[in-house]
Amino acid sequence: MDLGYGIIVPVRNEAALLPVTVPRLLAATKGDQVRIIWVCNGCTDDSAKMIRCLAGPAAEVIELARPGKTTALQAGDDALGGLFPRLYLDADTWLRPGDIALLMQPLLSGAVDLVAPRLRFDVAGASGIAARIGACWLSLPHAQTTAFSNAIGLSSAARALWGKWPEIIGDDAFVAAIVAAHMPPLRKQVIDTALATISMPRSFNGWVRMRARWLQGEAELVRLGFSPPRAARQRSSLLRQLVFPSTAVGAWAFLVARVLAKVARADATTSAWMPDRMTDVERF
């Protein structure tokens, strides 16, 4: 890729996954003119040390004492300055070689202002019911067309739509909502040929916690004056899954998790960002 771009990776206690994700990120960007900024925020493990070990002593690692994903994203934005386009990449997410170029190309050409890859879950270690819930979610229209998450590419015009990152949980939904509110629909695109593999909750309870966080993120968007992104035919697609034997178990578990998530959200005492997959056992 001739023109440069930036990548911001917020990191919170990801030492267990970094030996997987850091080499894959380096492989996916090999040969590109890219600045990668890892922002460790409130880490109590060896995440920063692990990154420097894996990516080399020249790796750009910012260490923040205070936890907070949007605080980390803002620190990454400040470090990159005027370098665009840029990719916001969750630390538990990886793309194949060539996929990041596929995401950056339409941004570099000016064709779009917001991109995201197609998603798949890493189901290793997940319970059977957790994997079925994940399969249900991935098959729904929202996941396929509206869920700009985990790996989000932005143009300078899209990033100029807001100033400092607000202190919210649903940063991905915030980006999709603000772009939808101020730009034509064709200015955002899911790049089907690019594939991001993401970690998922390993248990049913983990899904409940994650869905509770999603619901809290949607409520934050409403308070900010935005409508949470919605996909057409989401309900009808889910209803079809509820009645077919091959998909019914995952679909019903998906629904039950959402109901229980409302209770979990009501009982929540913190809004700190923390990946549930690492704490299913501790929390439940």
Side-chain angles (χ1 to χ4, degrees):
M1 186 174 296
D2 294 331
L3 299 176
Y5 62 94
I7 298 177
I8 298 169
V9 187
V11 180
R12 176 90 188 278
N13 290 345
E14 299 281 9
L17 274 177
L18 289 171
V20 174
T21 58
V22 171
R24 289 181 176 177
L25 177 55
L26 297 177
T29 57
K30 186 176 181 180
D32 290 355
Q33 295 183 27
V34 58
R35 280 187 66 190
I36 304 174
I37 310 292
W38 284 275
V39 187
C40 297
N41 60 105
C43 290
T44 57
D45 64 3
D46 292 330
S47 288
K49 180 180 179 181
M50 182 73 69
I51 293 167
R52 293 187 177 99
C53 178
L54 293 166
E60 295 189 65
V61 182
I62 298 173
E63 296 185 65
L64 304 177
R66 178 189 174 194
K69 187 176 180 182
T70 54
T71 301
L73 295 175
Q74 186 61 54
D77 277 337
D78 293 342
L80 286 181
L83 179 59
F84 283 95
R86 62 188 52 165
L87 179 72
Y88 300 97
L89 181 67
D90 286 0
D92 65 343
T93 300
W94 63 88
L95 296 101
R96 304 166 302 183
D99 281 343
I100 294 179
L102 291 173
L103 294 174
M104 294 297 103
Q105 283 167 359
L107 295 171
L108 287 165
S109 70
V112 298
D113 293 290
L114 169 63
V115 297
R118 183 165 51 90
L119 302 176
R120 70 177 291 271
F121 284 126
D122 175 13
V123 299
S127 68
I129 196 66
R132 285 174 180 257
I133 295 172
C136 175
W137 185 81
L138 286 175
S139 70
L140 295 174
H142 174 73
Q144 296 179 8
T145 63
T146 313
F148 288 78
S149 64
N150 293 83
I152 297 179
L154 284 182
S155 69
S156 59
R159 183 58 185 87
L161 293 175
W162 74 97
K164 296 286 186 179
W165 282 90
E167 292 193 11
I168 57 175
I169 288 178
D171 56 287
D172 295 340
F174 168 76
V175 172
I178 198 169
V179 170
H182 295 283
M183 290 182 162
L186 292 178
R187 300 302 297 177
K188 60 179 184 178
Q189 183 180 0
V190 173
I191 309 297
D192 288 333
T193 51
L195 180 66
T197 300
I198 62 179
S199 293
M200 61 174 285
R202 300 316 194 207
S203 68
F204 176 81
N205 286 335
W207 269 105
V208 172
R209 291 289 297 196
M210 189 165 78
R211 289 196 63 82
R213 193 166 64 245
W214 290 351
L215 290 173
Q216 185 171 348
E218 290 183 356
E220 289 172 338
L221 282 182
V222 172
R223 287 196 295 270
L224 291 172
F226 297 105
S227 298
R230 305 294 184 194
R233 300 183 299 279
Q234 179 82 354
R235 289 186 179 180
S236 60
S237 177
L238 179 58
L239 286 173
R240 284 194 297 272
Q241 293 198 44
L242 289 170
V243 300
F244 283 105
S246 61
T247 57
V249 172
W252 280 106
F254 176 90
L255 276 182
V256 173
R258 192 181 194 283
V259 172
L260 294 177
K262 292 183 178 181
V263 178
R265 179 186 162 229
D267 292 340
T269 58
T270 178
S271 62
W273 169 70
M274 186 69 187
D276 279 325
R277 65 187 179 280
M278 302 300 291
T279 53
D280 284 350
V281 175
E282 297 172 7
R283 288 176 174 167
F284 296 92

